[in-house]
Amino acid sequence: MTDITSETDVRGNVADVRTIACIGAGTIGAGWAAYYLAKGYHVRVWDPAPDAAPKVRQLIDAAWPALTLLGLHPDASPGNFTVHTDIAEAVAGVGFVQESAPEVLELKQNLLADIDAATADGVVIASSTSGYSMTDMATRAANPSRLVVGHPFNPPYLIPLVEVVGGEATSTAAVQWAADFYEYIGKSVIKMDREVPGFIANRLQEALWREALHMIDNGEATVEQIDRSITDGPGLRWPIHGPMTTFHLAGGQGGMRHMLEHFGPSLKSPWTRLEAPELTDDLREAVIAGVDAAEERSVNDLIIERDAAIIAVRNVIDEIKGRRA
């Protein structure tokens, strides 16, 4: 990242933002739009699809009950958004831009260049990319110093984590502004020290996913067994303590030192296969069939269940941490 900190590089205080542009109206983009609306902002959504408006409306309506339970800003309104097919119109006068287009590198490069060209100087532009580096995505932008990654987790209106990192041409001021803004609107921000392929959380999530695919491919576990091994096992600990603290506690009074001394040799055991298995037709169908067999409810029903569970877990954790503080 470049050390650019002048006022002309990043403009405005995070508290002064009133309007946000959400570029891309897929699951992530519309989820961001719902979250920003709940925080009292006016949102301009850009998407070239002819059915973008009803799809955005549908997701916002579906997300609003959960957002209401989490708490709405006094100015929050689910109808305070407009949908545009012209980028210049969508970003005119906004205080922040959140890009959430499909994960296609050339598309991201061209779109970020177009957004940069149309957006007023000093406005930070963040990408929701789940894997690309900003160094790679910013290659065609005239002013890459204000382009940052603001990587959320799905659904962004419920999961608080956002990973923020700049590219080689991103200014330190832009990264700090983005991190400050996300924290201001209630997100849990990891401001990364450097670019890492897949970022932090996705890397960890991907390792678990790959191991699960290997176990299915080798007939070692079913989809239902894999899911329950997490929901009824380590998943119960992770909402309050991450994997590092969990292993620290596994060492008892000796903590991480004792854990490493006692369990360290198991790292040499052939327990995991970090390389991804070949996604053959047989493996693909086995995974799909396994999900179908384990879960008969509709996607909408599962989303309602997921949202309610996340809210309950978050509320309990906030209560525990509040008592601890």
Side-chain angles (χ1 to χ4, degrees):
M1 288 177 289
T2 56
D3 188 17
I4 303 172
T5 57
S6 68
E7 291 183 3
T8 56
D9 179 54
V10 177
R11 184 185 66 191
N13 189 288
V14 295
D16 295 333
V17 176
R18 294 290 179 267
T19 303
I20 295 172
C22 287
I23 306 299
T27 301
I28 299 299
W32 267 124
Y35 185 79
Y36 291 134
L37 290 170
K39 293 299 177 180
Y41 295 101
H42 173 72
V43 176
R44 294 183 187 159
V45 179
W46 173 89
D47 196 290
D51 60 346
K55 284 187 174 181
V56 172
R57 173 81 277 164
Q58 182 180 30
L59 189 144
I60 291 171
D61 288 344
W64 208 253
L67 287 163
T68 300
L69 289 173
L70 285 174
L72 299 173
H73 187 277
D75 297 329
S77 170
N80 195 20
F81 73 95
T82 52
V83 178
H84 307 263
T85 56
D86 181 83
I87 287 182
E89 184 178 84
V91 302
V94 303
F96 181 61
V97 179
Q98 184 81 49
E99 174 271 313
S100 306
E103 288 289 288
V104 179
L105 182 57
E106 186 174 13
L107 185 154
K108 293 273 196 187
Q109 290 170 334
N110 291 333
L111 186 57
L112 286 171
D114 291 343
I115 297 168
D116 174 51
T119 305
D121 292 341
V123 175
V124 173
I125 301 166
S127 174
S128 299
T129 180
S130 59
Y132 292 128
S133 72
M134 184 49 72
T135 295
D136 290 338
M137 293 190 296
T139 55
R140 300 178 185 178
N143 180 22
S145 67
R146 58 164 163 182
L147 301 182
V148 306
V149 168
H151 170 234
F153 258 68
N154 187 46
Y157 62 85
L158 277 185
I159 306 297
L161 180 66
V162 178
E163 294 171 311
V164 176
V165 64
E168 292 177 359
T170 306
S171 73
T172 55
V175 172
Q176 187 60 56
W177 192 97
D180 290 345
F181 176 73
Y182 286 127
E183 287 180 352
Y184 178 76
I185 63 173
K187 288 295 186 179
S188 174
V189 178
I190 295 177
K191 189 173 74 168
M192 296 175 62
D193 297 327
R194 53 175 291 187
E195 290 183 293
V196 176
F199 315 112
I200 299 171
N202 266 358
R203 288 282 287 269
L204 297 172
Q205 185 173 247
E206 178 72 10
L208 185 63
W209 169 242
R210 291 186 180 195
E211 191 61 31
L213 289 178
H214 275 298
M215 296 181 80
I216 294 171
D217 201 28
N218 286 278
E220 297 165 342
T222 66
V223 167
E224 190 273 337
Q225 289 170 336
I226 288 170
D227 276 353
R228 190 147 53 87
S229 75
I230 298 301
T231 61
D232 295 359
L236 293 173
R237 300 182 297 209
W238 289 342
I240 189 69
H241 295 139
M244 302 305 290
T245 301
T246 295
F247 281 125
H248 173 60
L249 296 180
Q253 295 303 313
M256 182 67 81
R257 181 179 298 279
H258 177 70
M259 196 285 297
L260 291 173
E261 291 171 353
H262 188 70
F263 296 105
S266 68
L267 291 173
K268 300 292 185 180
S269 300
W271 285 0
T272 65
R273 315 170 183 88
L274 285 181
E275 227 176 276
E278 183 181 353
L279 195 58
T280 62
D281 289 343
D282 287 344
L283 176 54
R284 188 189 306 272
E285 291 306 313
V287 172
I288 294 170
V291 172
D292 289 342
E295 195 54 76
E296 297 179 351
R297 288 168 294 172
S298 70
V299 170
N300 285 340
D301 287 342
L302 291 172
I303 288 174
I304 291 171
E305 178 183 68
R306 177 202 64 189
D307 289 3
I310 289 173
I311 291 168
V313 169
R314 286 186 59 182
N315 286 338
V316 170
I317 291 173
D318 288 345
E319 182 181 354
I320 291 172
K321 288 185 174 180
R323 289 201 301 263
R324 189 173 64 192

